[in-house]
């Protein structure tokens, strides 16, 4: 029986972990006289480079006398394994950065180091998200190699750092932080202490730490911190132009800019075999068989949606029978056009203009009619609410809404790319769809495992599992009104007026926190996705669009959003209206509105008639 969550994992987790652990060693910091000054952890990132923290090896002089000790672990009978020492070569390459707390230093090339797999930058790295498990291979306290596996979750993703719950000690500095597929996510470097409102470090009993070493062991630690590998790679790429030819070649090898010497193991722990295996065939003709590792990168062709054909006749609106309005449309419905895969190497297919303002103007006049809004602000709300409810003619499946409409057409920018609603970061639509399909497969596998467990019989357990799954494996799709606010039900879940492209880490960073406007002086958690603290989130980009989408939701689903601390409070309505005013509608939003209207039937009045926002009482939209 599965007890609670399914924690089964394939045995290849251990084999791959054992293979990469062979490239992680203890850094022994030595003086010129050979005295041991301290310990850290380091690991192989290229055929000629090792990485650790800046606070482990801060300059070339320290590195010159220090060594990397590989295979320093205990055997099954608790006897120490024979340790291999690799000397460092800062004269060949040395680069360090204090803000990102990392050091890259060359090693003495020998057979011991050459046979280890590369824990590289150019492949096998990952952007971890909140809720994801991480694994750390380390030398805590300078002791033999130890592991912190799986019961460690990412709790925060900042601009340059990851925060995760795990066990480390001094000496773990410089350890690689992996995900469950043993892809490199971060470079471990410190703990995160609990702090008071003034930023002072707190002890476990709530007192302020006095800074003394004698009470350091009493500090209340809340997480560990690692530097995101993607930030280190960005920094290193900026250094290339300033390097001499030899040092540039060494760094380019690590970054995957040039072909690196073959190194590593076949993945069989302890085999000592090279990834490149050359064996003579027994034919006596000088034939050789070469076995090499192979990685394939698949590029999906551009996905586009053909212009819709004849619109389907809208269903007759149902007469309202209560305060919630007419009966909601049901799924599935007939899509407006087929999905067409085009040849990415050939000429692009003929397409209509990105946004036809004249044609859309005619659609708007037909949709709203000639009659103006009522003078009474509450009557204005009721009229528009009825309009957007009764004109929605179709409800898509969640998968179709994302893959058939949102990514390939609705959310496209005029330049042909997608951009994250909160960070503004650009993406190729094909990459977004491919990432979503991978996440979807993982989610489906986890769900099937759960449904086979006894816990699936308990409704509360099912609800908790779905919430955890949503947090752990978010799609590249943001619900401006979080799904937990409406129980993940349709048609709210698939209403494209409040669905936007959003990379998973921004999705996780926001979580289900309502929007808020901070002041410049507020000390809060910052990331490229925005700013956040408990119960408050301010996006970095897209404020006008998300405000109009939220106001639409109040019109379309009155009573669905509660005036509670965990949802949208009435007092924050002024923030949305202020964002609506300060960040006006652009051609991208007009394009979105027109495309959604073709698929879904209804429109967002705040995009078509921005001036109406001040003439509507949105109060009836709250539960």
């Amino acid at each position: 029986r599965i007890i609670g969550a399914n924690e089964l994992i394939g045995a290849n987790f251990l084999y791959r972990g054992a293979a990469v652990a062979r490239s992680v060693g203890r850094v022994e910091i030595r003086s010129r006289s050979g005295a041991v000054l301290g310990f850290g952890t380091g690991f192989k990132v290229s055929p000629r480079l090792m990485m650790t923290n800046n606070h482990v090896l801060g300059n070339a002089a320290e590195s010159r006398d220090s060594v990397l000790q590989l295979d320093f672990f205990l055997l099954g009978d608790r006897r120490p394994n024979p340790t291999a020492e690799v000397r460092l070569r800062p004269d060949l390459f040395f680069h360090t950065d204090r803000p990102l707390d990392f050091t890259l230093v060359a090693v003495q090339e020998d057979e011991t180091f050459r046979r280890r797999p590369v824990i590289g930058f150019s492949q096998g790295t990952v952007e971890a998200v909140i809720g994801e498990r991480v694994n750390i291979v380390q030398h805590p306290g300078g002791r033999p190699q130890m592991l912190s596996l799986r019961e460690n979750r990412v709790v925060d993703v900042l601009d340059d750092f990851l925060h995760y719950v795990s066990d480390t000690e001094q000496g773990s500095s410089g350890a690689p932080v992996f995900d469950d597929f043993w892809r490199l996510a971060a470079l471990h470097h410190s703990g995160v202490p609990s702090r008071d409102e003034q930023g002072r470090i707190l002890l476990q009993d709530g007192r302020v730490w006095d800074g003394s070493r004698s009470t350091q062991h009493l500090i209340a630690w809340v997480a560990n911190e690692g530097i995101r590998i993607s930030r280190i790679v960005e920094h290193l790429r900026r250094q290339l132009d300033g390097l001499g030819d030899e040092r540039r070649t060494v760094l380019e090898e690590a970054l995957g800019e040039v072909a690196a010497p073959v190194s590593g193991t076949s993945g069989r722990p302890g085999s000592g075999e090279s990834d490149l295996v050359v064996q003579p065939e027994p034919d006596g003709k000088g034939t050789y068989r070469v076995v090499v590792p192979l990685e394939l990168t698949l590029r999906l062709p551009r996905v586009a949606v053909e212009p819709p054909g004849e619109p389907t006749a809208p269903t007759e609106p149902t007469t309202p029978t209560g305060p919630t309005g007419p009966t909601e449309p049901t799924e599935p419905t007939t899509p407006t056009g087929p999905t067409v895969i085009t040849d990415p190497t050939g000429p692009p297919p003929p397409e209509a203009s990105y946004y036809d303002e004249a044609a859309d103007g005619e659609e708007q006049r037909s949709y709203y009619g000639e009659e103006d809004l009522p003078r009474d602000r509450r009557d204005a709300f009721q009229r528009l609410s009825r309009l957007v409810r009764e004109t929605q003619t179709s409800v898509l499946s969640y998968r179709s809404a994302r893959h058939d409409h949102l990514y390939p057409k609705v959310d496209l920018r005029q330049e042909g790319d997608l951009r994250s609603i909160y960070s503004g970061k650009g993406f190729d639509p094909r990459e977004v769809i491919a990432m979503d399909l991978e996440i979807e497969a993982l989610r489906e596998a986890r769900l099937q495992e759960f449904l086979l467990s006894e816990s699936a019989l308990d409704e509360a357990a099912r609800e908790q599992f779905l919430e955890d799954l949503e947090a752990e494996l978010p799609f590249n799709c943001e619900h401006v009104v979080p799904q937990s606010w409406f129980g993940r039900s349709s048609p709210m879940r698939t209403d494209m007026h409040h669905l936007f492209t959003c990379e998973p880490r921004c999705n996780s960073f926001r979580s289900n926190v309502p929007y808020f406007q901070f002041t410049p002086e507020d000390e809060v958690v910052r990331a490229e996705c925005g700013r956040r603290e408990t119960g408050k989130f301010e996006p970095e980009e897209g404020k006008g669009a998300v405000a109009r989408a939220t106001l639409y939701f109040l019109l379309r689903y009155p009573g669905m959003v509660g005036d509670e601390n965990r949802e949208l409070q009435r007092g924050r309505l002024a923030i949305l209206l202020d964002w609506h005013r300060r960040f006006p509608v652009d051609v991208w939003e007009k394009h979105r509105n027109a495309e959604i209207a073709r698929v879904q039937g209804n429109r967002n009045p705040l995009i078509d008639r921005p001036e109406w926002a001040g003439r509507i009482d949105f109060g009836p939209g709250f539960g």
Side-chain angles (χ1 to χ4, degrees), residues 39-41 55 136 138-143 146 166-175 188-191 224:
F39 301 98
T41 301
H55 75 261
I136 306 175
Q138 56 188 300
H139 286 272
R143 298 192 300 278
M146 302 185 78
S166 63
D167 295 321
T168 63
E169 296 179 12
Q170 292 185 359
S172 302
S173 295
H188 175 73
H189 83 134
S190 73
N224 275 293

Side-chain angles (χ1 to χ4, degrees), residues 338-355:
T339 300
V340 179
I341 307 297
T342 60
D343 180 4
T345 63
E351 295 181 359
S353 62
Y354 180 72
Y355 172 69

